[in-house]
Amino acid sequence: MESQNPSFDKSFRNEVKMLTEIRHKNIVKLHGFCLHKQCMILVYQYMERGSLFYILNNEVEAKELNWSKRVNIIKGMAEALSYMHHDCSPPIVHRDVTSSNILLNSQLEAFVSDFGTSRLLDPDSSNQTLVVGTYGYIAPEFAYTLSVTKECDVYSFGVVALEALMGKHPRELISSLVNLTIPNMLVKDLLDSRLPLPRRKDAQDINLVITVALACLCSKPNMRPSMQLVVQKLSSFKVSLFLPFHEVWIHQLMSQDIGHLSSKCQE
């Protein structure tokens, strides 16, 4: 067993030590762990509302998750990942960002959880490992490079951000992007139909989140924005569209220049 391997034991303890020192309002607090023979247990703070995946798949609770709450969840997730990538030394890559690993407290605030597959990025190593993650959220390049990068998390963030707004996994939309076709779809038809169409402020926020999320899904890793830039854009960028919300098309959001290389993703 890996847990009986001295080198694994040391690595596991070092990573757990790092995680116990994380201090961020949108990351689940790790209180402790148990490593004994075949038993490995991590003890995290309790999240009353469960996972984002659970709520999106519960007809009653999904309606409680209104547009502003969903946008706040996405922003909280972005801030947590930005902290891991840019404020931790060495940086931490989560490697399994999914809606199941975004937990919500009693106020429906987001907390990134489940660091069981996370890795500390050593700048002097290739950071290669076995394929980990969850199907449908893994960046396409990871399957053949096996290289642990921040860009993998950025891609997964884009998937979860769209999932939060759509109320379901965006696999059809992602498939069209993979095939290099621009989705011929109105934004309003993309959104979770269990909620009424958003009003002005929420509509602006949703256009922005979708614009940023689509940039994160760029097939070229070096063209994706950093999580630091994602946080910056979600807090200050304005989508320049002078149309009623119900007339906005996906391709119009994809053509928005948010000030980074991913605007070249479709070239």
Side-chain angles (χ1 to χ4, degrees):
M1 294 293 293
E2 281 187 317
S3 58
Q4 295 172 314
N5 184 318
S7 62
F8 175 82
D9 182 280
K10 180 179 180 181
S11 174
F12 181 84
R13 291 176 184 274
N14 286 342
E15 290 193 25
V16 168
K17 182 177 184 295
M18 174 64 74
L19 294 176
T20 58
E21 294 172 353
I22 286 179
R23 297 288 186 274
H24 192 276
K25 62 183 178 66
N26 295 110
I27 295 179
V28 174
K29 175 64 178 174
L30 178 67
H31 292 300
F33 73 98
C34 173
L35 176 60
H36 178 66
K37 294 183 179 179
Q38 298 182 18
C39 177
M40 291 183 290
I41 299 175
L42 298 173
V43 182
Y44 289 99
Q45 72 182 99
Y46 179 64
M47 293 285 110
E48 296 88 346
R49 300 302 297 270
S51 70
L52 175 61
F53 176 85
Y54 166 78
I55 287 191
L56 291 177
N57 285 275
N58 183 295
E59 292 299 315
V60 175
E61 297 196 34
K63 294 177 182 178
E64 182 183 351
L65 210 58
N66 61 30
W67 296 123
S68 62
K69 289 188 173 87
R70 296 189 191 206
V71 169
N72 285 336
I73 285 170
I74 293 166
K75 288 182 177 180
M77 177 172 53
E79 290 175 5
L81 291 172
S82 177
Y83 169 83
M84 292 169 61
H85 290 182
H86 303 285
D87 297 318
C88 291
S89 183
I92 300 174
V93 173
H94 189 287
R95 303 202 308 171
D96 195 22
V97 177
T98 70
S99 56
S100 295
N101 290 335
I102 305 302
L103 303 184
L104 308 176
N105 65 7
S106 58
Q107 284 77 48
L108 294 172
E109 297 168 323
F111 293 78
V112 174
S113 72
D114 194 353
F115 293 84
T117 61
S118 67
R119 286 292 180 272
L120 309 182
L121 275 186
D122 180 354
D124 298 322
S125 76
S126 64
N127 293 302
Q128 291 190 340
T129 183
L130 297 176
V131 176
V132 296
T134 301
Y135 179 75
Y137 298 88
I138 304 173
E141 74 277 5
F142 188 53
Y144 57 85
T145 65
L146 300 185
S147 180
V148 181
T149 67
K150 299 173 185 176
E151 289 76 20
C152 295
D153 279 356
V154 173
Y155 181 92
S156 300
F157 164 81
V159 177
V160 178
L162 289 178
E163 184 176 354
L165 296 181
M166 296 172 65
K168 62 181 180 180
H169 191 283
R171 54 182 51 86
E172 291 83 7
L173 178 59
I174 292 174
S175 177
S176 67
L177 297 175
V178 170
N179 295 324
L180 300 179
T181 58
I182 298 178
N184 186 25
M185 181 186 297
L186 289 166
V187 171
K188 72 178 183 65
D189 295 330
L190 193 72
L191 301 182
D192 192 337
S193 61
R194 293 171 295 188
L195 296 183
L197 285 180
R199 296 180 181 274
R200 184 176 178 82
K201 175 61 170 66
D202 288 335
Q204 292 174 343
D205 288 341
I206 287 170
N207 282 338
L208 175 56
V209 168
I210 293 176
T211 299
V212 173
L214 290 172
C216 293
L217 293 178
C218 181
S219 60
K220 304 170 186 176
N222 62 324
M223 297 296 182
R224 295 172 197 151
S226 67
M227 288 310 306
Q228 196 170 51
L229 184 58
V230 166
V231 170
Q232 176 187 332
K233 295 304 179 183
L234 289 179
S235 63
S236 62
F237 188 75
K238 300 295 182 184
V239 175
S240 300
L241 288 174
F242 303 98
L243 293 169
F245 181 76
H246 65 275
E247 295 180 10
V248 177
W249 294 82
I250 293 295
H251 68 82
Q252 292 174 309
L253 297 184
M254 294 182 70
S255 65
Q256 291 288 306
D257 180 7
I258 65 171
H260 70 287
L261 294 174
S262 70
S263 60
K264 300 180 181 179
C265 189
Q266 298 297 318
E267 295 180 0

